[in-house]
Amino acid sequence: MKRFGSLQWILLAAGIIAILGLTGMNVYSLYALHENTLESSRENKKLQIAEFTDKIRYRFFKKFIGLGSADINRLQEQFENTGAFTPKVTKLLNKAAGDSIYDNIYFIPSGSDACQTQSPILQYSTENIFEETSDYPAVVCDGMGIARTQIKSLLADYQYNNKVLFDSHRSITIVLIDPSQHEVFGYLTMPFNQDFLRNSYLPKVLTQRFGAEEYPGMNVWLRDWTNNEIIASSNPNATYDRKQIQFVQNFPDFFDYWKVEVAFTDESTIAASNASLIKNLVVMGAAMLLLLGALVFMFRSARKERALAERQANFLANVTHELKTPLSVMQAAGENLADGRVQDQQRLKNYGSHIFSEAVRLRNMIDKLLDVAKADAGESLVNPQPTDIGEVVKSYLDKHQKFFQEKDVILDISIDKNLPAVNIDRNSLETIISNLVDNAIKYSTNEKYLGIRVLTQNDHVKLCIEDHGVGIAKKNLSNIFTKFFRVEDSLTAKTKGHGLGLSIVKNLVELNSGSIEVESNPNDGSTFIITFPILSDSAPKASLNSLSTQPESESRNKELEEHVS
Ligand code: ADP
């Protein structure tokens, strides 16, 4: 049994550890998920920035989409003959000429040494042809020079008829190539309109794409790192602070001196993620408490069941002994009487009273067992009648006067006059009183005090049975009404009993619509207080009750007479 008990504790501890472990793992996963959510939200923002820089790049040559399918040999021929490009390419040039991002469109045929000698170069005019001009900015020659150097190394394997090259943020050059000969036909160079670029285009796209209204969760700045100048910002209200920059993105092969710098402002993501984290933690906490509660409940129930089983086993052992003892005594006495061996009057009397008292003991025992069995089966029959509790108490005391005298019981009885009637079963009340009085004497010390009070209080009649006995420790108070429960101490060990009396009392009190409480202090004594509701419009009905019920001993005598005859 002991080993089983410690196994139970080990299992409970293992269960609790498992629940706590699982909870710990879940909390850890939730936090990891929370971190991942933030991380992936930032990764997503970085992708948005990269996509943004690609889009800007595309913006600079989108007007020339379609150039790839132009026939460069025809273009060359047309240009040499007329000074103009083929209609298809001219159309593209016209579109570009109308785009405010470019200042002008210049063309430097391959082999021209215009920039070296400061001689005129070709500029696209409103008449759709190229005209010579000597008034061109140095940035045109820089752009063309960079393109010329870069294309040289690519030309041998190049498959396409054009190549777009940037001079940082200053110009774009489209190199026109004859892919069959791997030769450059010329350079279309377009300086950027710096005013439009810096003051109009870039601020606009930044605010449009990452402006505060959309709440993208970040502030984005475009910074010229060579002279530490902010060119544009996504949120004019946000102040640039280098220390808060968490991510820097370069432009792909253009805007070499400019960088996109990002400060994440994840408040909304963090708030959303925190809210979901808290929600999950609360749900998990509740589930964990529920699980722990269920586990502890199951554990306690199992222990209770075990304790009950143990008590029942003890009870069976005791009860068998207690049933056999009076029977053996009665059997021996009866045998002696039947043999006619006992002639002496005094001995005959002794045998008779022995048989009688053992029979009473046996009957009480059997009655108790039957009461418990009936209560268990829900069959305790009560026959409520208007009853005067004071009268029942008096009659009980009368019947047991001799017993109290023998036991030196100090009686302290107080019964209110004009007690109202209550609607209860008289037999039940007698059993209740007899059990409580028995206990009061059983668990008394040297002073056998028995106080019985019957009084009216508000709409109730109270029956209080008090002793100055050993009392009951607080921890046991809630158990004493449980079937088979006995306080485990040296006195109880010496006192006969089976832990059934109080469970029968409680059952009977409740069947009669009453309630029972106990007030007790170890070594001071106990008071059992039973309360029954007053019968409405009741008057004192003492005489009525005494007539309505047939006293127990009378009915027993009748049974005996019938049996003997
Ligand atoms: P039992 O047959 O053991 O007396 P009961 O159901 O009548 O069974 O009582 C249950 C337990 O409650 C007893 O074993 C005893 O420990 C305690 N008890 C009951 N009445 C009293 C009392 N008046 N004073 C002290 N302890 C009591």
Side-chain angles (χ1 to χ4, degrees), residues 47-56 205-206 209-210 260:
L47 281 178
Q48 286 176 30
I49 297 285
E51 193 188 297
F52 169 72
T53 53
D54 281 345
K55 247 185 173 166
I56 291 186
V205 285
L206 261 181
R209 184 68 188 81
F210 305 111
V260 179

Side-chain angles (χ1 to χ4, degrees), residues 42-111:
R42 287 187 175 183
E43 285 306 315
N44 180 31
K45 282 167 194 154
K46 287 179 187 172
L47 281 178
Q48 286 176 30
I49 297 285
E51 193 188 297
F52 169 72
T53 53
D54 281 345
K55 247 185 173 166
I56 291 186
R57 187 175 190 281
Y58 173 74
R59 166 69 183 85
F60 287 105
F61 60 81
K62 74 171 181 191
K63 295 282 154 52
F64 289 95
I65 299 296
L67 183 65
S69 59
D71 182 342
I72 293 295
N73 290 327
R74 262 193 61 210
L75 178 73
Q76 217 164 346
E77 229 179 85
Q78 174 104 1
F79 178 69
E80 274 155 18
N81 294 338
T82 62
F85 283 0
T86 54
K88 183 176 175 177
V89 181
T90 305
K91 207 169 153 194
L92 300 180
L93 285 175
N94 284 344
K95 274 208 269 175
D99 188 342
S100 0
I101 206 138
Y102 310 120
D103 262 346
N104 269 309
I105 303 172
Y106 298 95
F107 182 63
I108 304 160
S110 167

Side-chain angles (χ1 to χ4, degrees), residues 347-415:
R347 285 191 69 199
L348 275 174
K349 220 174 149 192
N350 285 350
Y351 270 86
S353 69
H354 241 84
I355 292 175
F356 176 73
S357 64
E358 289 305 308
V360 168
R361 204 171 128 195
L362 199 58
R363 188 186 173 100
N364 284 344
M365 189 73 213
I366 291 170
D367 279 350
K368 268 193 184 177
L369 286 175
L370 286 178
D371 281 343
V372 172
K374 275 191 209 159
D376 278 353
E379 283 173 6
S380 306
L381 287 181
V382 288
N383 178 21
Q385 302 275 338
T387 305
D388 176 357
I389 296 184
E391 186 273 324
V392 180
V393 168
K394 274 185 217 152
S395 130
Y396 175 83
L397 291 172
D398 282 351
K399 254 192 260 168
H400 295 81
Q401 217 171 6
K402 206 170 148 213
F403 169 75
F404 293 133
Q405 272 166 9
E406 277 168 13
K407 294 263 175 191
D408 287 333
V409 178
I410 306 164
L411 286 173
D412 177 7
I413 313 296
S414 129
I415 299 172

Side-chain angles (χ1 to χ4, degrees), residues 104-208:
N104 269 309
I105 303 172
Y106 298 95
F107 182 63
I108 304 160
S110 167
S112 153
D113 56 355
C115 280
Q116 276 91 345
T117 56
Q118 302 296 311
S119 45
I121 61 172
L122 298 171
Q123 180 180 352
Y124 193 63
S125 79
T126 42
E127 275 84 49
N128 302 347
I129 51 160
F130 286 99
E131 289 169 354
E132 284 197 345
T133 177
S134 307
D135 182 18
Y136 55 90
V139 73
V140 180
C141 293
D142 292 349
M144 189 270 285
I146 288 169
R148 185 158 40 198
T149 318
Q150 289 192 10
I151 200 69
K152 238 181 223 166
S153 55
L154 299 174
L155 211 52
D157 302 321
Y158 208 70
Q159 310 275 329
Y160 309 100
N161 69 358
N162 71 81
K163 168 86 181 143
V164 174
L165 293 159
F166 285 84
D167 171 12
S168 186
H169 57 279
R170 303 197 304 165
S171 71
I172 180 171
T173 297
I174 298 173
V175 187
L176 299 175
I177 301 162
D178 177 356
S180 57
Q181 303 296 316
H182 298 289
E183 278 176 5
V184 172
F185 159 51
Y187 303 87
L188 272 172
T189 298
M190 289 148 285
F192 297 140
N193 178 340
Q194 290 301 315
D195 178 45
F196 177 74
L197 191 64
R198 289 163 179 260
N199 301 325
S200 178
Y201 173 65
L202 289 172
K204 196 169 145 202
V205 285
L206 261 181
T207 39
Q208 262 175 5

Side-chain angles (χ1 to χ4, degrees), residues 368 435-444 465-467 469-473 476 479-489 491-492 495-505 518 520 525-528:
K368 268 193 184 177
N435 272 297
L436 292 179
V437 169
D438 271 3
N439 279 351
I441 295 167
K442 242 178 17 181
Y443 301 107
S444 61
I465 299 185
E466 184 185 346
D467 64 63
V470 292
I472 305 161
N476 292 320
N479 291 322
I480 54 169
F481 295 104
T482 311
K483 208 164 47 176
F484 302 125
F485 178 86
R486 302 202 75 211
V487 173
E488 280 170 15
D489 61 20
L491 180 94
T492 330
T495 323
K496 284 196 172 163
H498 305 290
L500 294 177
L502 289 183
S503 100
I504 295 171
V505 167
V518 57
S520 186
S526 319
T527 307
F528 286 83

